[in-house]
Each structure stands twice: as structure tokens, then as C-alpha cells.
Amino acid sequence: MAVIGIESSAHTFGVGVVDDGRVLSNEKEMYRIGTTGMIPAKAAEFHVKNSAAVIARAMKNAGVSARDVTGVGYTRGPGIGPCLQVGELSAKAIADELGVDIVPVHHGVCHIEIARVLSGLKNPVVLYVSGGNSQILKRVEEPKPHYHILGETFDVGVGNMLDSFAREINLNPAWGSSVEKTAHGGKYVDLPYTVKGMDFAFTGLLTRATELVATNSKEDLCYSMQEVAYSMLCEATERALLLTKSKELCVAGGVAQSTRLKEMLKNVADEHGMKFGFAGNEYNADNGAMIAFVAERMLKAGMHSRMEECDIEQKYRTDQAVLP
Ligand code: FE2
């Protein structure tokens, strides 16, 4: 008995196999963005070329054969249309070939749910931070179980903001992880800080840091940008924790790989005597196991879809996804 999960919302084509909540394998191939940023058609072409091999490797490493598979899940969105389509078509081919149930899932919900369950949290306030998304959420049961969005970015996701700056100053690889490395030893430079209630905005911060590149060191700007952006997230998250009287905090998504962000969030949780949880980085980076993990829970709850209902949704919002 095993469920396959396929992730292809952006640069990663990932396939995971899960059995009763246990991750049996988690394989991926990643399209290298380089200095140009993401070119959707090129990324989708990369996924098409790699899909069969990654699926085969995930099944082999999980030790499962076709007859062990009981269902397949794939990322419906949010993400880049041509990339999402490759995952959708791969999942449909598996469902059709093996005669098993299929279920489309929400990418962000998968990051959140695997982090929440693996860290032993019940109903935390969640900070979901990735390239395209930055949201503060909490599960509610009405009218159907879903993550209610308490606060979110007004413009770009914090990850894309950091990636854009990394490209601006020619870091290699041009990602937030390089900004974090470059930030060591940097000194503080004043940058715009924008929090409105539990919402926040990052474009002004990026614009001002870019203006200051000519007159400041990379180290100082990376340090300051990171401290300002993460302080904004911490302030809004702390407000959400206190307003909801929550006792648990969870961080998930690509930017949850940042050691500095987790350190700052842990301080917030410790100050209020709250539990703080997160998943290992293999589940914060895009991956197929988290898709299989949530797909299995949905299939067990009878939430499979008919093949003709299965589609993709580039702007699939987290609060539109019904939870198992
Ligand atoms: Fe992601």
C-alpha cells in the first residue's frame, strides 16, 4: 500500500512515496535558474525530460511496485502554469495506467501539514514563507476545514524578494540562502519596514536596498535586508499568536530553511511560553513527499477527484483548499 506524490509547481520536479504517514522515498531533479530567473517554458521542458526517471527512482527507492500503489496526488497550485501541467499529466498517466484514485492538492498546505505533523503540533499559528507566498494562517473548521489567512504580503513573497536581491548583487547561486551566507559579519543599514496589522510588504525594502548597492557593502545590505524582512514577519506573527491566543507556532515553506528566521521565531515563541515547530529542510524545499503525505490523508478521508475534475490553478489560494 503506497501513495505517490508529484510536485512540479516551480523549479523542482519531485516525487515522493508515502505509506501510512511514513515517507518511503523523496526524489527530485531541480531546474537551475541561473542569472536569468525562471523561464517557465524551459522549466517545464526540464520537468518533461526528467519526470519518468524521477518517478521510477522514487518507486525503486521506496521498494514499491505498481501493484502496491493505491493512489496518486499532485500539486494543483499555486505555481507556474506550464510547470504545474507536467505534474498534472504525470499523475493522470499514473492514475490511468494503474487504475488508482487521484487527488489534486495545494502546495502550501502540503508544506504546512508535513511540518505540523512531524513537529507534533496540533493547531498552530503557521507562518508560511516561500518564493511566491508569505502568509500567516490558522486552521478553522467552518464552513469546511481550511487554513484561514490572518495576514499576508501585499506584494511579493519574501523568498522572491531575497532571490531578486541575490541576482541584483550577482550572488551564486542567486537565492536567499546566499543572502544568508553573505549577511554574516554585516552591519545594520536603515531600510524601509512595512507592517500593517498582520499584513506586510517587501517591494519598498527591495527597491531601497537596490538603490544602496553602489554605496554599501553586500554584507551590510544582506544583513540589514534579512533582519528587516524577518523582523516584519516576526512582528505580524506575534500579533496573530496573541490575537488567536494560540499556544503553538509553526514555520513552513522554502524560507523556513533560514537558520536566522527560525532563531528569531523561536525567540518570539519562547517569550510567550509557546511551542515552536518546523520540518527538516528536505520538506521546506519543494519536494514530492509532502504531496504524497497530504494526498494519502485526503484519499483516506474519501477526498479523491474524478479524472475530468483534475486541473491546475496558478493562483490557488491557501484558504480555498479544503483540509482532510
Ligand atoms: Fe514550496
Side-chain angles (χ1 to χ4, degrees), residues 43-276:
E45 195 181 293
F46 174 90
H47 294 344
V48 169
K49 277 187 192 148
N50 286 282
S51 56
V54 181
I55 292 166
R57 207 163 74 219
M59 288 183 63
K60 182 168 182 272
N61 290 353
V64 300
S65 62
R67 66 174 180 278
D68 302 317
V69 177
T70 54
V72 59
Y74 72 94
T75 301
R76 178 174 186 243
I80 298 165
C83 297
L84 289 167
Q85 268 181 327
V86 182
E88 178 204 5
L89 294 175
S90 302
K92 282 180 171 174
I94 290 171
D96 194 40
E97 176 77 20
L98 305 184
V100 296
D101 287 336
I102 184 167
V103 62
V105 299
H106 185 283
H107 178 90
V109 163
C110 295
H111 274 302
I112 294 167
E113 284 299 281
I114 200 163
R116 182 185 69 78
V117 174
L118 292 183
S119 57
L121 301 180
K122 291 192 171 60
N123 188 10
V125 162
V126 178
L127 177 64
Y128 167 46
V129 273
S130 66
N133 297 279
S134 300
Q135 294 174 327
I136 300 170
L137 311 115
K138 194 159 195 295
R139 180 181 172 126
V140 294
E141 302 304 318
E142 301 293 334
K144 286 186 174 171
H146 69 280
Y147 275 105
H148 175 69
I149 300 172
L150 294 158
E152 62 185 317
T153 180
F154 282 141
D155 44 33
V156 294
V158 64
N160 281 355
M161 189 267 300
L162 293 168
D163 294 353
S164 297
F165 189 65
R167 280 200 298 280
E168 196 64 47
I169 58 172
N170 301 314
L171 297 184
N172 186 19
W175 288 328
S177 57
S178 301
V179 172
E180 178 151 319
K181 272 189 203 140
T182 311
H184 290 300
K187 289 186 291 299
Y188 186 70
V189 178
D190 207 17
L191 292 173
Y193 181 102
T194 315
V195 175
K196 308 273 186 195
M198 288 182 282
D199 295 317
F200 26 77
F202 296 106
T203 304
L205 175 54
L206 176 62
T207 303
R208 184 63 185 142
T210 305
E211 283 170 358
L212 292 174
V213 167
T215 51
N216 289 266
S217 74
K218 287 180 184 179
E219 289 75 15
D220 289 356
L221 289 173
C222 286
Y223 171 76
S224 307
M225 179 172 245
Q226 202 171 253
E227 291 300 301
V228 170
Y230 295 169
S231 297
M232 286 163 51
L233 293 169
C234 284
E235 180 193 329
T237 302
E238 185 173 31
R239 192 163 291 135
L241 283 164
L242 297 176
L243 280 169
T244 57
K245 298 185 169 62
S246 184
K247 295 284 172 227
E248 299 174 326
L249 170 60
C250 180
V251 65
V255 184
Q257 293 174 88
S258 164
T259 306
R260 180 62 183 143
L261 176 60
K262 282 182 287 207
E263 187 177 77
M264 289 168 78
L265 288 168
K266 185 172 184 310
N267 284 342
V268 172
D270 285 351
E271 243 173 63
H272 298 288
M274 295 161 179
K275 279 189 199 166
F276 176 53

Side-chain angles (χ1 to χ4, degrees), residues 7 9 107-108 111 128 130-131 253-254 284-287 290:
E7 155 58 24
S9 63
H107 178 90
H111 274 302
Y128 167 46
S130 66
N284 288 324
D286 288 349
N287 68 94
M290 68 178 189

